[in-house]
Amino acid sequence: MSPKKNGPEPIAPAAPWVPVTIRDVAKVAGVSTGTVSNVLNRPDIVAESTRRRVLQAVESTGFIRNTQAHQLRGGRSQTVGVVVLDVANPFFTEMFRGAESRLQTEGYVLMLASTDGSVEREANFVRAMEEHRVEGVLITPAAAELGALAGLRTRGVPTVLLDRKATADEFCSVTVDDVRGGELAARHLFETGHLELAFVNGPSSVRQCRDRRQGVRKAVRSVSKTKKVEVTEVSVGALTVRHGEDVVERILAMSPRPTAVMCANDLLALGVLRGLASRGVRVPDDLAVTGYDDLIFGSMLSPALTSVRQPAFELGVAAAELLLDEVRNPDHRHREVRFEPELVVRTSSRP
Amino acid sequence: MSPKKNGPEPIAPAAPWVPVTIRDVAKVAGVSTGTVSNVLNRPDIVAESTRRRVLQAVESTGFIRNTQAHQLRGGRSQTVGVVVLDVANPFFTEMFRGAESRLQTEGYVLMLASTDGSVEREANFVRAMEEHRVEGVLITPAAAELGALAGLRTRGVPTVLLDRKATADEFCSVTVDDVRGGELAARHLFETGHLELAFVNGPSSVRQCRDRRQGVRKAVRSVSKTKKVEVTEVSVGALTVRHGEDVVERILAMSPRPTAVMCANDLLALGVLRGLASRGVRVPDDLAVTGYDDLIFGSMLSPALTSVRQPAFELGVAAAELLLDEVRNPDHRHREVRFEPELVVRTSSRP
DNA sequence: TTGAAAGCGCTAACAA
DNA sequence: TTGTTAGCGCTTTCAA
């Protein structure tokens, strides 16, 4: 079992691979490089027997086309860059999956980068992708301003904004109607008899938070014609579990005590649920709770969490579609594809 | 608010961008292309004043280096391919983040592809990446056999296997000791007084399941010197929430009834928790439960789930490190970096 | 139907 | 210190 003297002999690396070029293939097949190229790109214009011979040579040499050389000669890079805020966030990975599913069928390979909200990292990645001559970019901008993307625009790199509306018609974009989403959640609670509502929201600097609040106001206006409802907004510094947990105290101290808590996202809601559980408040019997995002685990909690679903995968597909149009269609016009959020009612808000 | 007759006039696309080459820069700066190249690659060997003039021209023209041309001339592609089973799985995205964090500092851009276990898709992606001349590949192979990766090996593309051990010394690999992880969980339960254990495991065809079972057996051997313990393995068809929920009935029917349920992953555990909750069985008072993977939501459940953590991020970093060594170090030898799983004890198994 | 050759944008050896 | 030039691997006229 154990070797005599030395440790187990490490196996030497495989014999160094000499890159095979189209020239090598040509030599083996006994044709010119032009013919090999033709076999690869327009097989129909070359004689049957020659084609077979060349294909055979490709096989035997293990030739793999060099896309860089191909592209240099005027070809396409077959590459799309995707820049998201956080790869660890399921919302973004779902979007990535959607985009990939569409672009993969067109032969594209995706470059993915995660900025974690850093404008500097974003700039670096975009730069690197431009150097790689990506044919397009799908991006969730890190900054509130789109100035960082000006280069892409002036250089004419097809770009689609993810979950962010372009201010002018500078870019295509795919978004979800957050106003509508906020309205859906609030209205649902009103309609199931909750007239005193606590709305746990994040900082106003976040567009999503602003929009969702606006949706809540809309629901209030519409419902208050027939019923008297009251909404108290409770602001927290960030959309995290901890912030949700910490806010419970304030909610329970409110007078009159609300009968429902609407949270600006699922993580907050999760924190709220934990806070309530530790204080023996039952959900939904004593207090109803809703979240937003419909993260995968929401349905697995007890009680399962009512939430507002965003069609992340479809967003990715739509973004890919817009990009493809911009790449191929000379008459392309920028536009915004807006998705509708969907209320998913579960136990946590069931009457 | 509404336009007169037509919809809002779509803004015409930006003026077509004429690609700027090193020649354009040279012309503007009044130097040769060689000098521009020198300014870009070895700025020290060119005169201060010339350098400034060239840099100025780069700026004013908006020049962006073409990596394809650069690479064709013998440069590196600065690109690494990552192929995972499922981008939607947090375990893989964490690994990706780890790899990215390391490789980004070296100027690499990552291509990411998700195979969803399809050998065919895997082959396509690997092929595309080879055509792009990635400098290396990080991959979780879709198939049990590594035959699909033979091409990478013979062509000498540095390749690191993620969460999969290479059979011979064909590739570097990063793995987690699943035997140890299984042992940790089982031993923890034994030591907290649970002598009758139900082990909910997935199909034996999955390596992880086999290894974790082996770990359980090891724990049994070691503990049974001092105590009499009994483990009953309950097999399910897949590691999903539904399978966990369905298995509860069988567990509760067992005689003698176990005092703890060890699950082969967190999703199963989640299902078990739900099943128990719906039958009014209290956790951990009536029955202790553990999972495996330590997915993010585990700590947010009530009761919070005891689990075995796998250092996904660190796996990614290690894989990147191995790859960099293979890329740069002529004396590189393939090796396996094995990580230790870590038991995270939470309420669900607290005595 | 095939071959010869120019050239994509860039770098590096060599010359000036 | 800077310019000239060959050539990386490939595609695509144009000529044979």
Side-chain angles (χ1 to χ4, degrees):
Chain A
M1 202 58 197
S2 68
K4 302 274 151 139
K5 279 180 192 153
N6 324 309
E9 208 72 33
I11 291 179
W17 172 257
V18 189
V20 176
T21 77
I22 207 175
R23 268 237 287 283
D24 301 316
V25 176
K27 200 175 301 169
V28 170
V31 296
S32 74
T33 61
T35 301
V36 175
S37 176
N38 282 336
V39 170
L40 263 27
N41 302 301
R42 299 113 94 217
D44 38 303
I45 75 159
V46 24
E48 167 71 19
S49 65
T50 319
R51 196 194 328 158
R52 260 211 304 276
R53 207 144 32 89
V54 170
L55 255 18
Q56 166 72 42
V58 165
E59 193 66 31
S60 73
T61 54
F63 170 77
I64 291 198
R65 166 150 146 287
N66 183 329
T67 45
Q68 343 279 335
H70 175 258
Q71 197 216 330
L72 195 55
R73 197 54 184 72
R76 337 213 86 267
S77 73
Q78 298 280 83
T79 275
V80 165
V82 181
V83 182
V84 299
L85 289 176
D86 178 13
V87 254
N89 185 327
F91 178 70
F92 292 118
T93 48
E94 268 304 294
M95 221 153 52
F96 178 87
R97 272 170 38 92
E100 188 196 45
S101 77
R102 181 69 187 84
L103 293 172
Q104 189 233 340
T105 64
E106 307 291 326
Y108 286 96
V109 174
L110 304 197
M111 293 182 159
L112 177 65
S114 183
T115 62
D116 295 331
S118 153
V119 178
E120 189 194 340
R121 279 166 61 89
E122 176 181 281
N124 287 341
F125 284 131
V126 170
R127 172 84 191 193
M129 287 172 177
E130 280 207 77
E131 293 188 344
H132 279 282
R133 295 296 187 268
V134 291
E135 289 184 44
V137 171
L138 306 181
I139 186 170
T140 309
E145 312 301 324
L146 295 176
L149 274 41
L152 287 169
R153 194 170 129 62
T154 65
R155 260 165 243 123
V157 180
T159 301
V160 178
L161 305 187
L162 302 174
D163 202 26
R164 169 72 81 79
K165 192 170 152 186
T167 31
D169 295 327
E170 320 150 283
F171 298 110
C172 281
S173 60
V174 292
T175 58
V176 183
D177 190 340
D178 280 300
V179 176
R180 176 94 181 116
E183 189 186 354
L184 279 175
R187 186 191 292 253
H188 158 67
L189 290 171
F190 294 149
E191 286 176 352
T192 49
H194 300 283
L195 306 181
E196 304 282 345
L197 190 62
F199 173 39
V200 182
N201 198 15
S204 293
S205 57
V206 178
R207 181 194 58 74
Q208 280 84 346
C209 293
R210 283 199 308 275
D211 285 1
R212 286 168 200 177
R213 170 196 299 136
Q214 203 189 317
V216 172
R217 294 215 177 117
K218 224 167 142 183
V220 169
R221 277 198 302 277
S222 127
V223 169
S224 54
K225 289 164 196 156
T226 55
K227 309 175 192 171
K228 184 170 175 303
V229 298
E230 183 146 351
V231 175
T232 310
E233 179 166 337
V234 186
S235 254
V236 296
L239 305 171
T240 68
V241 178
R242 171 154 301 282
H243 284 83
E245 207 160 353
D246 291 347
V247 91
V248 166
E249 197 100 31
R250 284 159 69 192
I251 291 174
L252 294 181
M254 283 165 59
S255 158
R257 173 144 147 203
T259 62
V261 183
M262 169 178 163
C263 303
N265 86 345
D266 278 3
L267 296 180
L268 278 177
L270 213 78
V272 167
L273 285 179
R274 289 179 70 175
L276 292 175
S278 74
R279 285 173 184 77
V281 181
R282 290 168 311 159
V283 176
D285 310 28
D286 301 336
L287 202 56
V289 175
T290 67
Y292 202 112
D293 280 349
D294 196 30
L295 297 186
I296 181 78
F297 60 77
S299 65
M300 307 172 176
L301 299 172
S302 1
L305 182 64
T306 291
S307 196
V308 178
R309 195 179 102 82
Q310 313 206 65
F313 188 90
E314 290 79 3
L315 258 96
V317 174
E321 210 68 67
L322 288 171
L323 194 73
L324 287 171
D325 187 67
E326 189 163 352
V327 167
R328 324 215 246 226
N329 177 6
D331 299 330
H332 173 84
R333 293 281 122 120
H334 295 317
R335 58 207 162 86
E336 177 192 1
V337 173
R338 168 158 285 233
F339 281 87
E340 288 305 310
E342 183 193 345
L343 180 73
V344 183
V345 178
R346 299 207 184 86
T347 318
S348 74
S349 72
R350 203 101 66 181
Chain B
M1 202 56 199
S2 70
K4 300 273 153 135
K5 278 181 195 151
N6 322 310
E9 207 73 34
I11 290 178
W17 171 257
V18 190
V20 176
T21 75
I22 208 174
R23 270 236 286 283
D24 302 314
V25 176
K27 202 176 300 171
V28 170
V31 296
S32 74
T33 59
T35 301
V36 175
S37 175
N38 282 336
V39 169
L40 263 26
N41 302 302
R42 296 111 95 216
D44 39 302
I45 74 158
V46 25
E48 167 71 19
S49 65
T50 319
R51 195 194 328 158
R52 262 210 303 274
R53 205 144 33 88
V54 170
L55 256 18
Q56 166 73 41
V58 165
E59 192 68 30
S60 73
T61 54
F63 169 79
I64 291 198
R65 167 152 146 287
N66 184 330
T67 44
Q68 343 280 332
H70 175 259
Q71 199 217 329
L72 196 53
R73 195 55 186 74
R76 338 214 86 266
S77 73
Q78 296 280 85
T79 274
V80 166
V82 181
V83 182
V84 300
L85 289 177
D86 178 13
V87 254
N89 185 328
F91 178 70
F92 292 118
T93 50
E94 269 302 294
M95 221 153 52
F96 178 86
R97 272 170 38 90
E100 189 196 44
S101 76
R102 181 68 187 85
L103 292 172
Q104 190 234 339
T105 64
E106 307 291 326
Y108 284 96
V109 175
L110 304 197
M111 293 181 159
L112 177 65
S114 182
T115 61
D116 295 330
S118 151
V119 178
E120 189 194 340
R121 280 167 60 89
E122 176 181 280
N124 288 340
F125 284 131
V126 168
R127 173 83 190 192
M129 287 172 176
E130 280 205 78
E131 292 189 346
H132 279 281
R133 296 295 188 266
V134 293
E135 289 184 43
V137 171
L138 306 181
I139 187 170
T140 310
E145 311 303 322
L146 295 176
L149 275 40
L152 288 169
R153 192 169 132 64
T154 64
R155 261 165 241 121
V157 180
T159 300
V160 178
L161 305 187
L162 302 174
D163 202 26
R164 170 72 82 79
K165 192 168 150 188
T167 30
D169 294 328
E170 321 150 279
F171 299 111
C172 281
S173 60
V174 292
T175 57
V176 183
D177 190 341
D178 279 300
V179 175
R180 174 95 182 119
E183 189 186 353
L184 279 175
R187 185 191 293 253
H188 158 67
L189 290 171
F190 294 150
E191 286 175 352
T192 51
H194 299 284
L195 306 181
E196 303 283 343
L197 187 62
F199 173 40
V200 182
N201 198 14
S204 293
S205 57
V206 179
R207 181 195 56 75
Q208 280 84 345
C209 293
R210 282 200 308 276
D211 284 1
R212 287 168 200 176
R213 171 196 300 136
Q214 203 189 320
V216 172
R217 295 215 176 116
K218 226 167 140 182
V220 169
R221 276 198 303 276
S222 128
V223 169
S224 54
K225 287 165 197 154
T226 56
K227 309 176 192 173
K228 185 169 175 306
V229 298
E230 183 146 350
V231 175
T232 312
E233 179 166 339
V234 186
S235 254
V236 296
L239 305 172
T240 69
V241 179
R242 171 154 299 284
H243 283 84
E245 206 159 352
D246 292 346
V247 90
V248 166
E249 197 100 31
R250 284 159 69 192
I251 291 174
L252 293 181
M254 283 164 59
S255 157
R257 179 149 142 195
T259 62
V261 183
M262 168 178 164
C263 304
N265 86 344
D266 277 3
L267 296 180
L268 278 177
L270 214 77
V272 167
L273 286 178
R274 289 179 70 175
L276 292 175
S278 75
R279 286 174 183 78
V281 180
R282 291 168 310 160
V283 175
D285 310 29
D286 300 338
L287 202 57
V289 174
T290 66
Y292 202 110
D293 278 349
D294 196 31
L295 297 186
I296 181 77
F297 60 76
S299 64
M300 306 170 176
L301 300 172
S302 2
L305 182 64
T306 291
S307 197
V308 177
R309 194 178 102 82
Q310 312 205 64
F313 187 90
E314 290 78 3
L315 261 112
V317 174
E321 209 68 68
L322 287 172
L323 194 72
L324 288 171
D325 186 68
E326 188 163 351
V327 167
R328 323 216 248 225
N329 177 6
D331 299 330
H332 173 85
R333 293 281 124 120
H334 295 317
R335 59 207 162 89
E336 177 192 0
V337 173
R338 167 157 286 230
F339 281 86
E340 288 305 309
E342 183 192 346
L343 180 72
V344 182
V345 178
R346 299 207 185 86
T347 319
S348 75
S349 72
R350 203 101 65 183

PDB file of all heavy atoms in Angstrom, chain B residues 234-257:
ATOM      1  N   VAL B 234     -34.006   5.272   5.899  1.00  0.00           N
ATOM      2  CA  VAL B 234     -35.236   5.360   5.116  1.00  0.00           C
ATOM      3  C   VAL B 234     -34.863   5.986   3.783  1.00  0.00           C
ATOM      4  O   VAL B 234     -34.387   7.126   3.728  1.00  0.00           O
ATOM      5  CB  VAL B 234     -36.274   6.255   5.826  1.00  0.00           C
ATOM      6  CG1 VAL B 234     -37.594   6.208   5.083  1.00  0.00           C
ATOM      7  CG2 VAL B 234     -36.442   5.835   7.271  1.00  0.00           C
ATOM      8  N   SER B 235     -35.051   5.264   2.704  1.00  0.00           N
ATOM      9  CA  SER B 235     -34.624   5.772   1.392  1.00  0.00           C
ATOM     10  C   SER B 235     -35.744   6.518   0.691  1.00  0.00           C
ATOM     11  O   SER B 235     -36.894   6.092   0.709  1.00  0.00           O
ATOM     12  CB  SER B 235     -34.191   4.601   0.507  1.00  0.00           C
ATOM     13  OG  SER B 235     -32.795   4.593   0.390  1.00  0.00           O
ATOM     14  N   VAL B 236     -35.356   7.636   0.080  1.00  0.00           N
ATOM     15  CA  VAL B 236     -36.335   8.363  -0.727  1.00  0.00           C
ATOM     16  C   VAL B 236     -35.762   8.546  -2.131  1.00  0.00           C
ATOM     17  O   VAL B 236     -34.552   8.431  -2.342  1.00  0.00           O
ATOM     18  CB  VAL B 236     -36.673   9.744  -0.122  1.00  0.00           C
ATOM     19  CG1 VAL B 236     -37.354   9.578   1.227  1.00  0.00           C
ATOM     20  CG2 VAL B 236     -35.435  10.601   0.005  1.00  0.00           C
ATOM     21  N   GLY B 237     -36.630   8.849  -3.054  1.00  0.00           N
ATOM     22  CA  GLY B 237     -36.226   8.901  -4.450  1.00  0.00           C
ATOM     23  C   GLY B 237     -35.436  10.139  -4.849  1.00  0.00           C
ATOM     24  O   GLY B 237     -34.673  10.132  -5.810  1.00  0.00           O
ATOM     25  N   ALA B 238     -35.619  11.216  -4.117  1.00  0.00           N
ATOM     26  CA  ALA B 238     -34.899  12.446  -4.456  1.00  0.00           C
ATOM     27  C   ALA B 238     -34.802  13.340  -3.236  1.00  0.00           C
ATOM     28  O   ALA B 238     -35.584  13.204  -2.283  1.00  0.00           O
ATOM     29  CB  ALA B 238     -35.611  13.175  -5.592  1.00  0.00           C
ATOM     30  N   LEU B 239     -33.852  14.255  -3.280  1.00  0.00           N
ATOM     31  CA  LEU B 239     -33.611  15.120  -2.121  1.00  0.00           C
ATOM     32  C   LEU B 239     -34.466  16.376  -2.184  1.00  0.00           C
ATOM     33  O   LEU B 239     -33.955  17.485  -2.315  1.00  0.00           O
ATOM     34  CB  LEU B 239     -32.120  15.486  -2.068  1.00  0.00           C
ATOM     35  CG  LEU B 239     -31.149  14.296  -2.050  1.00  0.00           C
ATOM     36  CD1 LEU B 239     -29.711  14.768  -2.197  1.00  0.00           C
ATOM     37  CD2 LEU B 239     -31.309  13.509  -0.766  1.00  0.00           C
ATOM     38  N   THR B 240     -35.768  16.214  -2.101  1.00  0.00           N
ATOM     39  CA  THR B 240     -36.654  17.363  -2.212  1.00  0.00           C
ATOM     40  C   THR B 240     -37.551  17.521  -0.989  1.00  0.00           C
ATOM     41  O   THR B 240     -37.673  16.606  -0.170  1.00  0.00           O
ATOM     42  CB  THR B 240     -37.576  17.224  -3.433  1.00  0.00           C
ATOM     43  OG1 THR B 240     -38.498  16.153  -3.181  1.00  0.00           O
ATOM     44  CG2 THR B 240     -36.788  16.909  -4.693  1.00  0.00           C
ATOM     45  N   VAL B 241     -38.184  18.666  -0.904  1.00  0.00           N
ATOM     46  CA  VAL B 241     -39.085  18.948   0.207  1.00  0.00           C
ATOM     47  C   VAL B 241     -40.233  17.943   0.229  1.00  0.00           C
ATOM     48  O   VAL B 241     -40.592  17.390   1.264  1.00  0.00           O
ATOM     49  CB  VAL B 241     -39.656  20.375   0.078  1.00  0.00           C
ATOM     50  CG1 VAL B 241     -40.623  20.655   1.216  1.00  0.00           C
ATOM     51  CG2 VAL B 241     -38.533  21.401   0.073  1.00  0.00           C
ATOM     52  N   ARG B 242     -40.789  17.702  -0.931  1.00  0.00           N
ATOM     53  CA  ARG B 242     -41.929  16.795  -1.019  1.00  0.00           C
ATOM     54  C   ARG B 242     -41.591  15.404  -0.490  1.00  0.00           C
ATOM     55  O   ARG B 242     -42.343  14.815   0.287  1.00  0.00           O
ATOM     56  CB  ARG B 242     -42.402  16.692  -2.473  1.00  0.00           C
ATOM     57  CG  ARG B 242     -43.454  15.610  -2.741  1.00  0.00           C
ATOM     58  CD  ARG B 242     -44.291  15.951  -3.938  1.00  0.00           C
ATOM     59  NE  ARG B 242     -45.005  17.198  -3.755  1.00  0.00           N
ATOM     60  CZ  ARG B 242     -46.091  17.341  -2.985  1.00  0.00           C
ATOM     61  NH1 ARG B 242     -46.562  16.311  -2.312  1.00  0.00           N
ATOM     62  NH2 ARG B 242     -46.663  18.507  -2.887  1.00  0.00           N
ATOM     63  N   HIS B 243     -40.420  14.902  -0.904  1.00  0.00           N
ATOM     64  CA  HIS B 243     -40.024  13.583  -0.434  1.00  0.00           C
ATOM     65  C   HIS B 243     -39.869  13.567   1.079  1.00  0.00           C
ATOM     66  O   HIS B 243     -40.181  12.582   1.732  1.00  0.00           O
ATOM     67  CB  HIS B 243     -38.729  13.150  -1.123  1.00  0.00           C
ATOM     68  CG  HIS B 243     -38.939  12.693  -2.527  1.00  0.00           C
ATOM     69  ND1 HIS B 243     -39.010  13.562  -3.581  1.00  0.00           N
ATOM     70  CD2 HIS B 243     -39.129  11.450  -3.056  1.00  0.00           C
ATOM     71  CE1 HIS B 243     -39.210  12.879  -4.709  1.00  0.00           C
ATOM     72  NE2 HIS B 243     -39.296  11.607  -4.416  1.00  0.00           N
ATOM     73  N   GLY B 244     -39.394  14.670   1.624  1.00  0.00           N
ATOM     74  CA  GLY B 244     -39.254  14.742   3.070  1.00  0.00           C
ATOM     75  C   GLY B 244     -40.612  14.713   3.752  1.00  0.00           C
ATOM     76  O   GLY B 244     -40.811  14.031   4.762  1.00  0.00           O
ATOM     77  N   GLU B 245     -41.526  15.441   3.182  1.00  0.00           N
ATOM     78  CA  GLU B 245     -42.857  15.519   3.785  1.00  0.00           C
ATOM     79  C   GLU B 245     -43.532  14.137   3.764  1.00  0.00           C
ATOM     80  O   GLU B 245     -44.168  13.728   4.726  1.00  0.00           O
ATOM     81  CB  GLU B 245     -43.689  16.538   2.989  1.00  0.00           C
ATOM     82  CG  GLU B 245     -44.786  17.162   3.809  1.00  0.00           C
ATOM     83  CD  GLU B 245     -45.261  18.489   3.221  1.00  0.00           C
ATOM     84  OE1 GLU B 245     -44.627  18.987   2.261  1.00  0.00           O
ATOM     85  OE2 GLU B 245     -46.251  19.019   3.735  1.00  0.00           O
ATOM     86  N   ASP B 246     -43.338  13.457   2.642  1.00  0.00           N
ATOM     87  CA  ASP B 246     -44.006  12.168   2.486  1.00  0.00           C
ATOM     88  C   ASP B 246     -43.454  11.087   3.402  1.00  0.00           C
ATOM     89  O   ASP B 246     -44.135  10.113   3.710  1.00  0.00           O
ATOM     90  CB  ASP B 246     -43.883  11.684   1.030  1.00  0.00           C
ATOM     91  CG  ASP B 246     -44.689  12.564   0.091  1.00  0.00           C
ATOM     92  OD1 ASP B 246     -45.510  13.346   0.603  1.00  0.00           O
ATOM     93  OD2 ASP B 246     -44.497  12.469  -1.132  1.00  0.00           O
ATOM     94  N   VAL B 247     -42.211  11.264   3.812  1.00  0.00           N
ATOM     95  CA  VAL B 247     -41.569  10.193   4.555  1.00  0.00           C
ATOM     96  C   VAL B 247     -41.963  10.219   6.036  1.00  0.00           C
ATOM     97  O   VAL B 247     -41.738   9.236   6.773  1.00  0.00           O
ATOM     98  CB  VAL B 247     -40.028  10.286   4.373  1.00  0.00           C
ATOM     99  CG1 VAL B 247     -39.412  11.167   5.446  1.00  0.00           C
ATOM    100  CG2 VAL B 247     -39.400   8.906   4.377  1.00  0.00           C
ATOM    101  N   VAL B 248     -42.563  11.304   6.462  1.00  0.00           N
ATOM    102  CA  VAL B 248     -42.888  11.467   7.879  1.00  0.00           C
ATOM    103  C   VAL B 248     -43.776  10.341   8.401  1.00  0.00           C
ATOM    104  O   VAL B 248     -43.549   9.779   9.479  1.00  0.00           O
ATOM    105  CB  VAL B 248     -43.553  12.842   8.123  1.00  0.00           C
ATOM    106  CG1 VAL B 248     -44.203  12.888   9.506  1.00  0.00           C
ATOM    107  CG2 VAL B 248     -42.524  13.949   7.982  1.00  0.00           C
ATOM    108  N   GLU B 249     -44.764  10.013   7.613  1.00  0.00           N
ATOM    109  CA  GLU B 249     -45.688   8.939   7.986  1.00  0.00           C
ATOM    110  C   GLU B 249     -44.914   7.674   8.376  1.00  0.00           C
ATOM    111  O   GLU B 249     -45.143   7.083   9.430  1.00  0.00           O
ATOM    112  CB  GLU B 249     -46.600   8.643   6.788  1.00  0.00           C
ATOM    113  CG  GLU B 249     -47.842   7.858   7.131  1.00  0.00           C
ATOM    114  CD  GLU B 249     -49.038   8.807   7.233  1.00  0.00           C
ATOM    115  OE1 GLU B 249     -49.036   9.829   6.498  1.00  0.00           O
ATOM    116  OE2 GLU B 249     -49.930   8.533   8.032  1.00  0.00           O
ATOM    117  N   ARG B 250     -44.011   7.280   7.496  1.00  0.00           N
ATOM    118  CA  ARG B 250     -43.239   6.059   7.743  1.00  0.00           C
ATOM    119  C   ARG B 250     -42.422   6.148   9.028  1.00  0.00           C
ATOM    120  O   ARG B 250     -42.268   5.179   9.759  1.00  0.00           O
ATOM    121  CB  ARG B 250     -42.295   5.786   6.564  1.00  0.00           C
ATOM    122  CG  ARG B 250     -43.028   5.213   5.346  1.00  0.00           C
ATOM    123  CD  ARG B 250     -42.237   5.416   4.084  1.00  0.00           C
ATOM    124  NE  ARG B 250     -41.031   4.613   4.013  1.00  0.00           N
ATOM    125  CZ  ARG B 250     -40.063   4.803   3.104  1.00  0.00           C
ATOM    126  NH1 ARG B 250     -40.187   5.768   2.195  1.00  0.00           N
ATOM    127  NH2 ARG B 250     -39.006   4.040   3.088  1.00  0.00           N
ATOM    128  N   ILE B 251     -41.895   7.328   9.259  1.00  0.00           N
ATOM    129  CA  ILE B 251     -41.054   7.492  10.442  1.00  0.00           C
ATOM    130  C   ILE B 251     -41.890   7.355  11.720  1.00  0.00           C
ATOM    131  O   ILE B 251     -41.507   6.660  12.663  1.00  0.00           O
ATOM    132  CB  ILE B 251     -40.352   8.860  10.415  1.00  0.00           C
ATOM    133  CG1 ILE B 251     -39.302   8.870   9.298  1.00  0.00           C
ATOM    134  CG2 ILE B 251     -39.707   9.159  11.757  1.00  0.00           C
ATOM    135  CD1 ILE B 251     -38.664  10.212   9.084  1.00  0.00           C
ATOM    136  N   LEU B 252     -43.042   7.989  11.706  1.00  0.00           N
ATOM    137  CA  LEU B 252     -43.864   7.965  12.912  1.00  0.00           C
ATOM    138  C   LEU B 252     -44.432   6.569  13.173  1.00  0.00           C
ATOM    139  O   LEU B 252     -44.801   6.242  14.298  1.00  0.00           O
ATOM    140  CB  LEU B 252     -45.002   8.986  12.789  1.00  0.00           C
ATOM    141  CG  LEU B 252     -44.524  10.442  12.767  1.00  0.00           C
ATOM    142  CD1 LEU B 252     -45.695  11.405  12.682  1.00  0.00           C
ATOM    143  CD2 LEU B 252     -43.675  10.764  13.994  1.00  0.00           C
ATOM    144  N   ALA B 253     -44.472   5.763  12.111  1.00  0.00           N
ATOM    145  CA  ALA B 253     -45.016   4.413  12.266  1.00  0.00           C
ATOM    146  C   ALA B 253     -43.975   3.415  12.765  1.00  0.00           C
ATOM    147  O   ALA B 253     -44.290   2.282  13.110  1.00  0.00           O
ATOM    148  CB  ALA B 253     -45.598   3.937  10.936  1.00  0.00           C
ATOM    149  N   MET B 254     -42.723   3.865  12.756  1.00  0.00           N
ATOM    150  CA  MET B 254     -41.649   2.943  13.137  1.00  0.00           C
ATOM    151  C   MET B 254     -41.758   2.538  14.613  1.00  0.00           C
ATOM    152  O   MET B 254     -42.208   3.310  15.453  1.00  0.00           O
ATOM    153  CB  MET B 254     -40.280   3.594  12.878  1.00  0.00           C
ATOM    154  CG  MET B 254     -39.867   3.593  11.415  1.00  0.00           C
ATOM    155  SD  MET B 254     -38.498   4.736  11.065  1.00  0.00           S
ATOM    156  CE  MET B 254     -37.247   4.090  12.163  1.00  0.00           C
ATOM    157  N   SER B 255     -41.306   1.307  14.881  1.00  0.00           N
ATOM    158  CA  SER B 255     -41.363   0.857  16.260  1.00  0.00           C
ATOM    159  C   SER B 255     -40.086   0.100  16.561  1.00  0.00           C
ATOM    160  O   SER B 255     -39.768  -0.865  15.852  1.00  0.00           O
ATOM    161  CB  SER B 255     -42.586  -0.024  16.458  1.00  0.00           C
ATOM    162  OG  SER B 255     -42.408  -0.868  17.566  1.00  0.00           O
ATOM    163  N   PRO B 256     -39.301   0.478  17.544  1.00  0.00           N
ATOM    164  CA  PRO B 256     -39.606   1.614  18.408  1.00  0.00           C
ATOM    165  C   PRO B 256     -39.486   2.937  17.653  1.00  0.00           C
ATOM    166  O   PRO B 256     -38.708   3.024  16.708  1.00  0.00           O
ATOM    167  CB  PRO B 256     -38.527   1.523  19.490  1.00  0.00           C
ATOM    168  CG  PRO B 256     -37.383   0.821  18.819  1.00  0.00           C
ATOM    169  CD  PRO B 256     -38.012  -0.129  17.852  1.00  0.00           C
ATOM    170  N   ARG B 257     -40.211   3.892  18.101  1.00  0.00           N
ATOM    171  CA  ARG B 257     -40.191   5.176  17.416  1.00  0.00           C
ATOM    172  C   ARG B 257     -38.872   5.888  17.674  1.00  0.00           C
ATOM    173  O   ARG B 257     -38.421   5.976  18.810  1.00  0.00           O
ATOM    174  CB  ARG B 257     -41.346   6.024  17.935  1.00  0.00           C
ATOM    175  CG  ARG B 257     -41.376   7.366  17.297  1.00  0.00           C
ATOM    176  CD  ARG B 257     -42.789   7.855  17.196  1.00  0.00           C
ATOM    177  NE  ARG B 257     -42.832   9.275  17.454  1.00  0.00           N
ATOM    178  CZ  ARG B 257     -43.932   9.927  17.718  1.00  0.00           C
ATOM    179  NH1 ARG B 257     -45.072   9.294  17.824  1.00  0.00           N
ATOM    180  NH2 ARG B 257     -43.906  11.221  17.924  1.00  0.00           N
TER     181      ARG B 257
END
